[in-house]
Amino acid sequence: GDFRQEAVPAGNGEHILLVDDEEAILHFGKNMLEQLGYCVSIASASTTALEMFNRDPAQFDLVITDQTMPAMTGEHLASSMLLLRRDLPIILMTGHSETITAQRAMDLGISCFMEKPFSRSAIGKAIHKALHQQKKYV
């Protein structure tokens, strides 16, 4: 192995829901996350993702969603999910031109805000951090 490569924290079979309307991102993301040791479900529409989540909000340990999607933005999806489960860790992925700010994401209760494209180590660290941080409510 190459020791200069930063170690990416591995998953322990946690169940992640990955939401993006681009099939390529779903497949690439699913493979990357499975290699890191996570169990991954995918949804190519925010509405589908919400239906999956509503059926059993406890089944997912973390949600990663794209911001820009038809029908419902990632931000809207995240807030709908958080209504059902306040402690759900959510990572919101955005392109460069998005209007949502990190502050707004934090205010909504989103754990982490990530710009696309991201590297394996960046997403690995973000997931690890989001899964292990205790959300504090005032």
Side-chain angles (χ1 to χ4, degrees):
D2 181 355
F3 293 111
R4 282 169 311 192
Q5 263 219 313
E6 247 183 306
V8 181
N12 193 16
E14 290 92 347
H15 192 181
I16 295 179
L17 176 59
L18 179 63
V19 192
D20 199 304
D21 59 325
E22 290 176 66
E23 293 291 335
I25 304 235
L26 285 181
H27 292 289
F28 165 76
K30 183 174 177 12
N31 289 339
M32 195 195 281
L33 298 174
E34 283 174 347
Q35 282 167 8
L36 285 170
Y38 296 103
C39 168
V40 186
S41 294
I42 55 176
S44 57
S46 33
T47 44
T48 313
L50 194 55
E51 279 166 26
M52 288 164 72
F53 180 79
N54 286 348
R55 247 176 268 145
D56 179 9
Q59 69 179 306
F60 300 113
D61 296 303
L62 176 108
V63 175
I64 302 175
T65 178
D66 190 30
Q67 165 64 356
T68 314
M69 292 183 288
M72 185 194 287
T73 62
E75 181 185 337
H76 185 155
L77 175 64
S79 33
S80 306
M81 288 175 164
L82 289 165
L83 282 175
L84 286 174
R85 225 183 107 198
R86 285 293 293 151
D87 65 323
L88 179 72
I90 298 178
I91 295 175
L92 185 69
M93 299 183 291
T94 63
H96 312 295
S97 56
E98 321 278 16
T99 48
I100 184 164
T101 61
Q103 185 54 54
R104 170 130 178 81
M106 299 291 288
D107 292 345
L108 283 169
I110 290 166
S111 322
C112 177
F113 188 66
M114 195 144 203
E115 281 195 12
K116 293 206 288 193
F118 46 79
S119 66
R120 183 166 170 254
S121 85
I123 192 80
K125 285 183 188 148
I127 292 170
H128 191 261
K129 187 177 161 214
L131 283 172
H132 297 93
Q133 69 180 10
Q134 288 304 305
K135 287 202 177 179
K136 296 172 191 68
Y137 302 110
V138 184

